[in-house]
Amino acid sequence: MSNPLVGILMGSDSDFPVVKDALTTLKSFGVEYEVLVASAHRTPARVAEYSGSAQERGVKVIIAAAGAAAHLAGVIASHTILPVLGIPINATALGGLDSLLATAQMPGGIPVGTLSIGKAGAKNAALLAVAILATSDQELAERLKEFRKDMVGAVTAKSEKLKILLKNENL
Ligand code: RP5
């Protein structure tokens, strides 16, 4: 990947099984990305260095995934004016509610676009990044429209399948 438009940071490599869904989604749209592990608490200087230089390197959107007291997305947002999307990770006994609140409840002034906890959030963070990039990339916008169309097709097919199942079971 030579010209990453999306930067993805995760607080720990233990977040990767969830973050992977963001990568596969970006890849399916042909969007280039870069990924690194950087923690707001364990490696604050690394987070500051990455976030402070991302825009000048051509990155357009940053996705941050973190669990527990998840300050990563907010700290990144404090170092850049790029849009920052947060994925709360379920990493503790609190089931991800801790990271959801830590990521979403930013005080006014430094926004973080927070997605849902876990894999759905990872997929949607990537789709939202694609939507942001698509505002200035017509080809990507067309791909996003196709994706939505395919989803309509898939849901309709599920409904048809259910109809057959109900008929077979005399319901
Ligand atoms: C957070 O703490 C990470 O994002 C991860 O979700 C959680 C646990 O990290 P590890 O102890 O697995 O490295 O900072």
Side-chain angles (χ1 to χ4, degrees):
M1 301 267 174
S2 54
N3 180 27
L5 297 177
V6 180
I8 302 168
L9 275 69
M10 58 191 114
S12 171
D13 59 349
S14 61
D15 300 325
F16 181 66
V18 171
V19 174
K20 195 176 173 193
D21 284 47
L23 308 192
T24 52
T25 302
L26 289 172
K27 197 171 176 196
S28 71
F29 280 92
V31 171
E32 295 194 27
Y33 54 81
E34 61 188 5
V35 191
L36 61 150
V37 175
S39 160
H41 308 116
R42 294 165 177 160
T43 63
R46 182 170 161 80
V47 172
E49 205 283 323
Y50 180 86
S51 325
S53 64
Q55 190 174 24
E56 68 203 34
R57 289 183 302 98
V59 171
K60 305 284 185 210
V61 184
I62 297 180
I63 293 174
H71 298 124
L72 183 60
V75 169
I76 292 170
S78 75
H79 290 289
T80 181
I81 58 162
L82 291 174
V84 177
L85 308 177
I87 308 168
I89 302 285
N90 173 5
T92 73
L94 298 181
L97 190 57
D98 43 359
S99 30
L100 174 65
L101 296 177
T103 305
Q105 290 293 97
M106 290 294 290
I110 304 291
V112 167
T114 305
L115 287 305
S116 51
I117 300 167
K119 282 173 175 282
K123 184 175 184 176
N124 281 345
L127 288 171
L128 197 48
V130 168
I132 291 168
L133 296 171
T135 58
S136 58
D137 182 335
Q138 195 49 43
E139 216 183 295
L140 199 52
E142 292 307 320
R143 261 177 260 158
L144 196 50
K145 283 181 197 165
E146 276 305 308
F147 172 83
R148 293 277 179 103
K149 256 193 228 162
D150 290 350
M151 231 172 11
V152 172
V155 172
T156 309
K158 279 181 189 175
S159 190
E160 289 307 312
K161 210 172 146 189
L162 185 67
K163 229 187 250 173
I164 295 167
L165 186 96
L166 292 177
K167 200 177 168 199
N168 288 346
E169 302 207 4
N170 207 22
L171 291 170

